[in-house]
């Protein structure tokens, strides 16, 4: 530093003219050094102050109740928050963040170590991937395309973008322009557009019709594929394997989840896909037979599919693809699983083929599912005689028009399919077929009919009385033996359906699983008839409501005050139970109305 100061000083002749002595010269040098040091210190303090000021800037959170900002977006300015929230409302996931991430962003490889070591044959079938979308965010579609292209596979023949009549302009010309940017892959990407909205099932059928490769995978467009996903899929439907292709009709992929807010990947465990009696998909534990193989790469027998699939295209066509009579979505995937198993094929989950699925907090294009989620399952149940065990026909609720199913029943006959009873016994024994339900639906007290019995907070074992909404927490099922289920009825052997109990002391009823109630000596059998009291058979106490205040009520166990209850549906001829025919009819009736 002294040299630079001296050089600076020597270059300024005016300084030497003003210096009177050597001592004065040294004094001035010291002063310059002092001034420079003060200047450096001042700059450091200013820099620290600026940083401190910047750290103290906290932007006001405009949408504190939005799911989007629970763990993301604290550093966004107010105008950026507004843009992000509006996009979130329009799409159900974080498009603002998606627009700022690179299309080829790396995602964590969630395959097991055994999958990473697995080698694949070179001579495999060609592959088509269908991406379905309706008014999807452009950046999300491009991210899905990029992740597929970046997954090494020389057998990928085409990526088909199936647009189910999107109304957003950027999914027309701008999307076509972006497709041309994939110049290294000429002809790989194709766009098929519906001129009229046809909903998910028909879009899946259209994608299958447009595919030209040996194997077709049908996916939603808001996905990202993981490493070697395509290799694993193609290997599993390889024509050269010992297992015949008919036994590998349908392949299901393992889901990972991409959070709707911060777009971080959440790894899901490998599981089989099942369903409940409303035909909504759920996860089933891996079977003991799979663990016995001691091979983490082995396919898992699955009872159904979760919604995305890969299959041999020709065979999929021969067995009827999907039921085009379905509306919107829900039930079509379960129906395909039932068809696969009952008609001589099988469904499998592939542990080494993982798809990361971007969750939606809501579906902005699908606001009312109330009719569809009842219509589609009824259609499935009618085709496959789900509640008559292949011997009797159901009496269908005339208020629900599930369409003409004659062609699907003819297909079932043509394929020489087995019955639903065989499916429960041999494929899905974990699903309990209940024949003893005699009353079901919401249950109201005539004292105040805008509130219903409700399972209450979960976890928790205290039923409550709550304003009517008719969703699964308010489903009540009364059995001929006297048990009362409260809450969504799983009817599966590895799950817990909870019974209403009278503990015998105190004034609060409880909810317990059957075995727990029996071990604790709780009282779980009740007498009840429509428009009458609910009485515990052992304690003789009455299940009633009492007012906490002018607007709030609670459930109580007490002596009779004359209160009466009504349940939404009661099976006809209850109590006569002449023979098995009538018992089966009971089951058919309650299952029809169980679909929410």
């Amino acid at each position: 530093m002294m040299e630079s100061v001296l050089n600076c000083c020597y270059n300024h002749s005016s300084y030497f003219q003003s210096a009177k002595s050597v001592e004065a010269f040294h004094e001035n040098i010291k002063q310059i050094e002092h001034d420079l040091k003060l200047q450096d210190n001042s700059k450091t303090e200013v820099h620290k102050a600026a940083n401190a000021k910047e750290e103290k800037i906290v932007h006001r959170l405009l949408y504190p109740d939005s799911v989007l900002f629970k763990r993301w977006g604290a550093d966004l300015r107010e105008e950026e928050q507004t843009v992000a929230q509006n996009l979130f409302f329009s799409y159900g996931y974080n498009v603002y963040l998606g627009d700022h991430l690179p299309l080829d962003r790396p995602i964590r490889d969630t395959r097991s170590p055994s999958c990473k070591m697995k080698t694949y044959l070179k001579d495999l079938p060609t592959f088509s991937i269908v991406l379905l979308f309706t008014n999807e965010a452009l950046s999300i579609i491009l991210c899905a395309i990029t992740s597929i292209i970046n997954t090494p596979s020389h057998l990928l023949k085409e990526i088909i973008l199936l647009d189910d009549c999107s109304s957003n302009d950027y999914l027309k010309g701008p999307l076509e322009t972006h497709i041309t940017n994939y110049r290294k892959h000429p002809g790989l990407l194709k766009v098929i557009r519906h001129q009229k909205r046809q909903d998910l099932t028909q879009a899946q059928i259209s994608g299958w019709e447009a595919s030209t490769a040996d194997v077709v995978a049908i996916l939603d467009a808001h996905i990202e594929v993981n490493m070697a996903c395509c290799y694993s899929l193609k290997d599993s439907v390889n024509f050269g394997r010992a297992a015949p292709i008919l036994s590998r009709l349908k392949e299901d992929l393992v889901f990972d989840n991409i959070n709707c807010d911060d777009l971080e990947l959440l790894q899901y465990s490998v599981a089989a896909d099942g369903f409940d009696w409303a035909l909504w998909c759920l996860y089933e534990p891996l079977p003991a037979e799979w663990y016995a193989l001691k091979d983490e790469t082995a396919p898992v027998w699955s009872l159904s599919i979760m919604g995305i699939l890969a299959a041999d295209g020709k065979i999929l066509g021969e067995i009827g693809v999907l039921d085009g009579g379905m509306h919107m979505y829900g039930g079509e995937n379960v129906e395909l699983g039932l068809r696969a198993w009952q008609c001589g094929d099988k469904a499998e989950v592939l542990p080494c083929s993982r798809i990361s699925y971007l969750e939606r907090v809501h579906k902005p294009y699908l606001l009312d599912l109330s009719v569809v989620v009842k219509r589609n399952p009824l259609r499935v149940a009618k085709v496959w005689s789900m509640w008559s065990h292949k011997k009797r026909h159901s009496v269908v609720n005339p208020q629900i028009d599930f369409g003409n199913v004659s062609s699907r029943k003819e297909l079932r006959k043509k394929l020489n399919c087995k019955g639903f009873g065989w499916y429960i016994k041999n494929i899905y024994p974990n699903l309990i077929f209940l024949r003893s339900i005699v009353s079901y639906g919401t249950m109201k007290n005539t004292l105040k009919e805008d509130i219903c019995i409700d399972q209450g907070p979960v976890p928790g074992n205290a039923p409550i009385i709550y304003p009517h909404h008719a969703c699964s927490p308010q489903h009540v099922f009364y059995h001929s033996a006297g048990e009362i289920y409260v809450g969504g009825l799983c009817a599966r052997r590895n799950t817990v359906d909870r019974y209403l109990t009278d503990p015998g002391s105190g004034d609060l009823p409880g909810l317990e699983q059957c075995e727990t109630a029996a071990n604790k000596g709780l009282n779980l059998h009740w007498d009840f008839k429509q428009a009458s009291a609910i009485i515990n058979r052992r304690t003789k106490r009455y299940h009633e409501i009492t007012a906490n205040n002018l607007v709030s009520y609670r459930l109580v166990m007490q002596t009779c005050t004359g209160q009466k209850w009504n349940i939404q549906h009661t099976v006809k001829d209850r109590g006569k139970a002449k023979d098995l025919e009538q018992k089966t009819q009971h089951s058919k009736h309650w299952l029809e109305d169980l679909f929410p």
Side-chain angles (χ1 to χ4, degrees), residues 532-546:
S532 64
I534 301 176
I535 311 168
N536 189 273
R537 290 180 182 175
R538 181 177 294 177
T539 68
K540 306 302 180 184
R541 297 202 298 176
Y542 286 67
H543 187 256
E544 297 188 337
I545 63 174
T546 186

Side-chain angles (χ1 to χ4, degrees), residues 5 45 84 128 146 176 242 276 291 299 316 353 426 454 475 483 506 508 529 586:
V5 173
E45 292 302 321
S128 297
T146 304
E176 303 276 359
D276 60 17
Y291 284 108
L316 186 60
S353 186
N426 295 278
D454 188 293
H475 291 175
E483 304 100 336
L508 296 179
K529 293 181 180 180
H586 290 174

Side-chain angles (χ1 to χ4, degrees), residues 458-474:
V458 176
N461 297 85
I464 61 174
I465 197 79
Y466 194 80
H468 174 266
H469 57 65
C471 294
S472 60
Q474 293 184 352

Side-chain angles (χ1 to χ4, degrees), residues 464-587:
I464 61 174
I465 197 79
Y466 194 80
H468 174 266
H469 57 65
C471 294
S472 60
Q474 293 184 352
H475 291 175
V476 175
F477 303 87
Y478 182 54
H479 287 240
S480 58
E483 304 100 336
I484 297 178
Y485 289 145
V486 180
L489 183 62
C490 298
R492 288 158 51 239
R493 300 186 192 282
N494 60 345
T495 58
V496 176
D497 291 311
R498 299 192 299 169
Y499 297 80
L500 184 69
T501 66
D502 178 1
S505 60
D507 66 350
L508 296 179
L511 289 177
E512 294 286 355
Q513 59 176 308
C514 181
E515 184 177 350
T516 301
N519 291 339
K520 291 182 177 180
L522 303 178
N523 309 295
L524 51 80
H525 293 97
W526 307 80
D527 287 321
F528 168 72
K529 293 181 180 180
Q530 186 76 308
S532 64
I534 301 176
I535 311 168
N536 189 273
R537 290 180 182 175
R538 181 177 294 177
T539 68
K540 306 302 180 184
R541 297 202 298 176
Y542 286 67
H543 187 256
E544 297 188 337
I545 63 174
T546 186
N548 286 329
N549 48 52
L550 293 177
V551 296
S552 175
Y553 288 78
R554 65 186 179 93
L555 295 171
V556 293
M557 299 303 307
Q558 60 187 19
T559 56
C560 179
T561 64
Q563 295 181 22
K564 299 178 181 180
W565 293 86
N566 285 308
I567 195 165
Q568 189 176 2
H569 303 288
T570 300
V571 176
K572 293 180 181 179
D573 300 323
R574 175 197 158 194
K576 298 178 182 179
K578 297 177 181 178
D579 51 28
L580 180 61
E581 168 70 27
Q582 188 170 30
K583 292 181 181 179
T584 303
Q585 182 68 28
H586 290 174
S587 297

Side-chain angles (χ1 to χ4, degrees), residues 66-211:
S66 172
V67 174
L68 179 61
F69 294 103
K70 295 300 181 183
R71 54 186 176 185
W72 174 86
D75 58 337
L76 293 187
R77 299 190 301 273
E78 292 182 11
E79 59 271 24
E80 293 171 329
Q81 292 180 45
T82 299
V83 173
Q85 177 62 24
N86 289 340
L87 288 170
F88 187 68
F89 179 79
S90 297
Y91 294 94
Y93 49 68
N94 193 344
V95 177
Y96 182 89
L97 178 56
D99 288 346
H100 288 80
L101 291 175
L103 296 179
D104 59 349
R105 69 163 184 150
I107 61 172
R108 181 162 47 91
D109 188 350
T110 57
R111 297 173 300 156
S112 72
S114 299
C115 289
K116 298 173 185 178
M117 297 172 60
K118 188 176 177 66
T119 58
Y120 298 94
L121 299 173
K122 292 183 178 180
D123 184 19
L124 293 171
T126 58
F127 208 72
S128 297
I129 292 183
V130 179
L131 296 178
L132 311 173
F133 66 91
T134 298
N135 290 334
E136 205 78 63
L138 180 58
S139 61
I140 300 303
I141 295 176
L142 297 177
C143 184
I145 294 171
T146 304
S147 72
I148 293 169
I149 290 176
N150 288 348
T151 299
S153 177
H154 64 285
L155 298 166
L156 179 60
K157 184 176 182 180
E158 59 194 358
I159 300 174
I160 299 170
L161 305 178
L162 198 294
D163 177 8
D164 191 24
C165 197
S166 294
S167 58
N168 294 339
D169 290 337
Y170 60 79
L171 292 177
K172 298 172 183 177
L175 175 59
E176 303 276 359
T177 300
H178 278 285
I179 288 176
T180 62
N181 293 333
Y182 295 94
R183 296 185 181 90
K184 293 182 180 179
H185 309 276
L188 179 66
L189 281 87
K190 305 174 182 179
V191 181
I192 306 295
R193 298 188 188 274
H194 285 168
Q195 300 306 309
K196 177 183 177 182
R197 177 73 63 81
Q198 298 188 42
D199 297 325
L200 175 63
T201 305
Q202 189 56 53
Q204 292 173 315
I205 295 172
S206 296
W208 166 79
E209 291 174 339
S211 65

Side-chain angles (χ1 to χ4, degrees), residues 383-426:
V383 171
W384 295 101
S385 301
M386 289 182 63
W387 45 69
S388 60
H389 273 200
K390 78 182 177 183
K391 292 182 179 179
R392 302 170 180 88
H393 297 286
S394 60
V395 180
V396 178
N397 187 336
Q399 296 178 346
I400 301 296
D401 178 14
F402 55 80
N404 190 326
V405 297
S406 58
S407 64
R408 305 307 292 184
K409 296 180 78 171
E410 282 298 318
L411 176 65
R412 173 185 170 183
K413 183 177 179 180
K414 175 184 174 182
L415 295 174
N416 195 27
C417 303
K418 297 181 175 66
F420 186 66
W422 173 90
Y423 174 82
I424 287 184
K425 181 179 180 180
N426 295 278

Side-chain angles (χ1 to χ4, degrees), residues 269-276 280-287 291 300-304 306 349 423 427-432 490-495:
S269 299
V270 177
D273 299 331
F275 56 88
D276 60 17
W280 281 109
C281 291
L282 48 80
Y283 290 117
E284 287 280 4
L286 295 173
Y291 284 108
V300 180
W301 277 27
S302 191
L303 301 317
S304 178
M306 197 59 73
V349 168
Y423 174 82
I427 305 302
Y428 205 172
N430 193 39
L431 190 65
I432 301 173
C490 298
R492 288 158 51 239
R493 300 186 192 282
N494 60 345
T495 58

